[in-house]
Amino acid sequence: MKIGVIGGGAWGTALAQVMASGGNDVRLWAREKEVVSVINSVHRNTLFLPDCPLSERITATGELGWVGETDAILVVTPAQHMRTVLEGLPDNGRPLILCSKGIEAGSLKLLHEVAHEVMASSPIAVLSGPTFAHEVAAGLPTAVTLASADEELARDLAERIAQPTFRPYATGDVAGAEIGGAVKNVLAIACGVVDGAGLGQNARAAMIARGFAEMTRFGLARGARVETLGGLSGLGDLVLTCTSTSSRNFSLGVGLGEGKPARELLEDRRTVAEGAATAPVLREAASEAGVDMPITQAVCALLEGAQVRPVIDALLNRPLRAEGV
Ligand SMILES: NC(=O)C1=CN([C@@H]2O[C@H](COP(=O)(O)OP(=O)(O)OC[C@H]3O[C@@H](n4cnc5c(N)ncnc54)[C@H](O)[C@@H]3O)[C@@H](O)[C@H]2O)C=CC1
Ligand SMILES: O=C(CO)COP(=O)(O)O
C-alpha cells in the first residue's frame, strides 16, 4: 500500500515509521521545510523525534496534493490546525484516519465532525490510545483503538495497518475513542500538578479515578459508549499520561504544580501540549452539555494564572458526594 501521513511531528513520524516497517511506501507531509529536508537526506526527524532512525520507504514532502494520492491517509496535525490543513487536501474519497487528540475551539466539535465537514466524500476513522511516539517508533508493543462509524471499514483498516508490535482494536464508537484522547490530556495536566506540588501518590490515584468519572460523565453526554471509555483510548491512555514525565501534558502540570507561571511554560514551545488548548474548550463543551467537570475547571484556572494552593483547596473542599459517575 501507499500510505499518506499529514503532520511531521513526533507522532506523525512514529506512525510513518510503523507503516514503513510493514512494507508500505509512505508519503509524509511536514509543515517545516527543514523537517522535509532532513528526513529525505539523513532519514531522521531531528526536530521532533531525534533519536529514531527512519526507514528509507518514507519520503517527506511539502506538497499536500501528493500525499492525497495514496490508499489511506493518517492525519496527525495538532487538533486546532486540523481544519485548516484538511482544507488544502483534495477530497477524493480516500479513507482518512485521524490520530490527533483534541476538541475544536469555537465549534466545540470533535475532530471526526470537523473532518466530515471539510472532507464530505472521504470515509473517516479515528486512531487513539496509549502511544508515546518514541516507544512506537522503537517498535515496542503498543495497542490502540481504531474507530469508525462504518465498523466494516474499522475492521478492514485494522487488518491493513496492524503490525506484530502494533495492534489495533476495531470499534464503531468514534465519539468514545476521541473523547478519551482529548479529555485525558487535560487530566494529565492535573496529575502533573499533583506531582509538582508534592501532594503524594494517593492524591494522584484519586485524581486518576475521579478524572475517569469526569471523562465518563462527559463521554456519555456526547454519545460515547462506556466500554470505549474504559478501553485503550480512554482509561488506557489516561493511566499512561497521568503517570509519566514522558507526557508533555503531565510535564506541563508538574511545572504548574511547582508554581511556575503558565505563560512561561507555554511560550516558545515547539511541541504541543494539547491539554492546554483542550481545557477551556472542554469546560465550555461540558457547560453546554450540563456536565460537572471540577478537575477540568481547576486546570483551566491554573492555566489562566491562579495560584496552586487555593485551586487545590477549592477542589478538596467541594461538598462530599456519593461515589460513582
Ligand atoms: N507525541 C505523541 O506521543 C502523541 C501525539 N498525539 C497527538 O498527535 C498530534 C500531533 O502531535 P505531535 O506529533 O506529538 O506534535 P509535536 O509536538 O511533535 O510537533 C508539533 C507539530 O505541530 C505542527 N504545527 C505547528 N504549528 C502548526 C500549524 N500552524 N499548522 C499545522 N501544523 C502545525 C508542527 O508542524 C509539528 O508537526 C497531537 O494532537 C497529539 O496530541 C497522539 C498520540 C501520541
Ligand atoms: O497522547 C499521548 C500518549 O498516548 C502523548 O501524550 P502527551 O501529548 O502528553 O505527550
Side-chain angles (χ1 to χ4, degrees):
M1 278 204 301
K2 275 201 202 78
I3 302 275
V5 177
I6 297 180
W11 189 218
T13 306
L15 285 167
Q17 178 62 13
V18 173
M19 297 304 135
S21 68
N24 301 296
D25 289 323
V26 179
R27 297 177 179 182
L28 171 61
W29 176 84
R31 184 166 165 269
E32 299 78 7
K33 283 201 177 84
E34 55 208 298
V35 171
V36 173
S37 158
V38 81
I39 290 180
N40 289 338
S41 55
V42 299
H43 307 291
R44 275 183 192 270
N45 184 340
T46 46
L47 255 76
F48 293 115
L49 196 65
D51 298 326
C52 176
L54 299 174
S55 165
E56 295 191 12
R57 284 183 177 276
I58 302 172
T59 306
T61 180
E63 295 296 322
L64 261 185
W66 189 62
V67 173
E69 292 161 20
T70 47
D71 300 310
I73 303 163
L74 305 178
V75 184
V76 206
T77 64
Q80 303 308 328
H81 298 304
M82 180 177 283
R83 182 186 290 275
T84 310
V85 174
L86 285 182
E87 281 167 351
L89 189 71
D91 183 13
N92 56 13
R94 313 286 161 89
L96 297 180
I97 307 176
L98 313 180
C99 309
S100 313
K101 295 174 179 171
I103 303 172
E104 190 181 54
S107 72
L108 309 183
K109 288 192 167 132
L110 299 177
L111 299 180
H112 76 276
E113 298 167 321
V114 173
H116 187 65
E117 267 180 23
V118 183
M119 306 284 285
S121 307
S122 302
I124 288 164
V126 163
L127 185 157
S128 192
T131 55
F132 283 141
H134 62 281
E135 292 193 9
V136 172
L140 295 174
T142 300
V144 298
T145 303
L146 184 54
S148 175
D150 175 353
E151 290 201 43
E152 203 179 309
L153 175 71
R155 282 193 295 272
D156 177 51
L157 288 172
E159 290 284 346
R160 285 157 72 181
I161 69 168
Q163 305 295 333
T165 57
F166 190 77
R167 202 174 155 75
Y169 286 76
T171 173
D173 183 10
V174 181
E178 284 208 326
I179 285 169
V183 176
K184 70 86 194 173
N185 279 336
V186 178
L187 300 173
I189 296 176
C191 283
V193 172
V194 168
D195 207 59
L199 302 182
Q201 296 180 34
N202 297 344
R204 181 169 63 190
M207 193 63 98
I208 292 174
R210 293 314 303 165
F212 182 63
E214 223 170 278
M215 178 195 288
T216 305
R217 280 200 294 276
F218 180 71
L220 294 179
R222 289 284 291 252
R225 292 184 210 149
V226 77
E227 67 268 23
T228 317
L229 298 168
L232 292 159
S233 52
L235 186 59
D237 207 0
L238 180 66
V239 169
L240 179 77
T241 34
C242 286
T243 55
S244 170
T245 48
S246 289
S247 159
R248 285 95 40 107
N249 289 292
F250 183 88
S251 299
L252 169 63
V254 172
L256 292 172
E258 286 167 347
K260 295 186 183 128
R263 199 178 4 87
E264 195 178 287
L265 293 165
L266 288 171
E267 73 190 357
D268 291 338
R269 54 180 304 147
R270 210 161 195 166
T271 59
V272 283
E274 288 279 29
T278 304
V281 185
L282 181 58
R283 175 177 57 186
E284 194 182 340
S287 157
E288 195 172 80
V291 172
D292 187 25
M293 298 191 82
I295 301 172
T296 300
Q297 284 174 3
V299 170
C300 288
L302 293 173
L303 290 169
E304 286 158 3
Q307 296 294 306
V308 177
R309 200 64 242 183
V311 169
I312 290 167
D313 288 346
L315 261 187
L316 287 171
N317 286 315
R318 298 177 78 238
L320 294 175
R321 51 170 288 173
E323 195 174 32
V325 169

